[in-house]
């Protein structure tokens, strides 16, 4: 199978990639990320620890890794009005992984940009507005982080 584009040619902005490191313990970082996400307009309806699951199920010996699934209901509703397929990428995720004890990486990509890129979201003015609105929430999040 070949892709319609070369992923190596994508810039981080093409997928809305944002990341930062924070100096705190993993559990504290999870709470910190959750608090900031909520303060900038995201709810956090989904969260889980892939590392705990994999360590338990397949004895993976993974370092701490956590996913906070964030959502702004008004923007999510607008997105679904444009493309029901976009729900396959819901929610927006903030991923926290331990790079070393006391240092956590917080990582995010824009599901709205990715949805448009892979063709499950329209390339129209309303979708561009949704991309801009979610981008503002994410920018505020990383500024506060």
């Amino acid at each position: 199978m070949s892709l319609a584009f070369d992923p190596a040619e994508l810039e981080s902005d093409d997928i809305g990639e944002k990341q930062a490191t924070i100096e705190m313990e993993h559990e504290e970082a999870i709470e910190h990320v959750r608090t900031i996400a909520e303060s900038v307009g995201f709810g956090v309806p989904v969260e889980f620890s892939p590392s705990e699951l994999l360590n338990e199920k397949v004895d993976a010996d993974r370092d701490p890794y956590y996913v906070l699934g964030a959502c702004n209901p008004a923007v999510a509703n607008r997105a679904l009005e444009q493309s029901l397929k976009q729900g396959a990428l819901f929610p927006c995720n903030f991923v926290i992984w331990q790079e070393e004890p006391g240092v956590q990486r917080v990582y995010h990509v824009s599901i709205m940009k990715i949805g448009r890129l892979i063709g499950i979201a329209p390339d129209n003015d309303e979708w561009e507005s949704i991309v801009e609105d979610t981008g503002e929430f994410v920018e505020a999040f990383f500024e506060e982080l």
Side-chain angles (χ1 to χ4, degrees):
M1 178 178 145
S2 70
L3 297 174
F5 56 90
D6 181 357
E9 293 180 7
L10 294 175
E11 302 288 330
S12 65
D13 190 54
D14 294 333
I15 60 170
E17 181 180 55
K18 299 277 186 194
Q19 56 188 314
T21 56
I22 52 178
E23 294 186 13
M24 58 183 65
E25 294 304 317
H26 190 70
E27 293 299 322
E28 180 184 8
I30 293 168
E31 188 58 38
H32 185 65
V33 168
R34 184 185 303 109
T35 299
I36 292 173
E38 291 171 348
S39 78
V40 301
F42 287 110
V44 182
V46 177
E47 54 186 281
F48 63 100
S49 173
S51 59
E52 286 181 13
L53 177 67
L54 296 171
N55 290 346
E56 177 186 318
K57 298 292 184 184
V58 296
D59 198 25
D61 193 31
R62 299 199 61 80
D63 288 335
Y65 188 98
Y66 203 83
V67 179
L68 288 173
C71 177
N72 177 282
V75 176
N77 186 51
R78 288 172 50 210
L80 289 176
E81 287 174 352
Q82 293 290 307
S83 170
L84 292 175
K85 293 178 182 177
Q86 184 66 26
L89 298 178
F90 280 8
C92 299
N93 290 319
F94 292 99
V95 181
I96 305 119
W97 68 79
Q98 181 171 278
E99 290 195 337
E100 61 184 77
V103 178
Q104 313 304 316
R105 167 99 30 205
V106 180
Y107 183 82
H108 171 82
V109 294
S110 169
I111 64 168
M112 302 307 180
K113 286 187 174 188
I114 290 171
R116 185 174 55 196
L117 185 67
I118 63 173
I120 65 171
D123 188 11
N124 62 25
D125 291 342
E126 176 58 19
W127 199 263
E128 185 58 33
S129 175
I130 290 168
V131 168
E132 289 174 11
D133 290 348
T134 56
E136 289 174 11
F137 287 121
V138 172
E139 284 295 324
F141 171 88
F142 277 95
E143 285 176 15
E144 195 169 327
L145 187 66

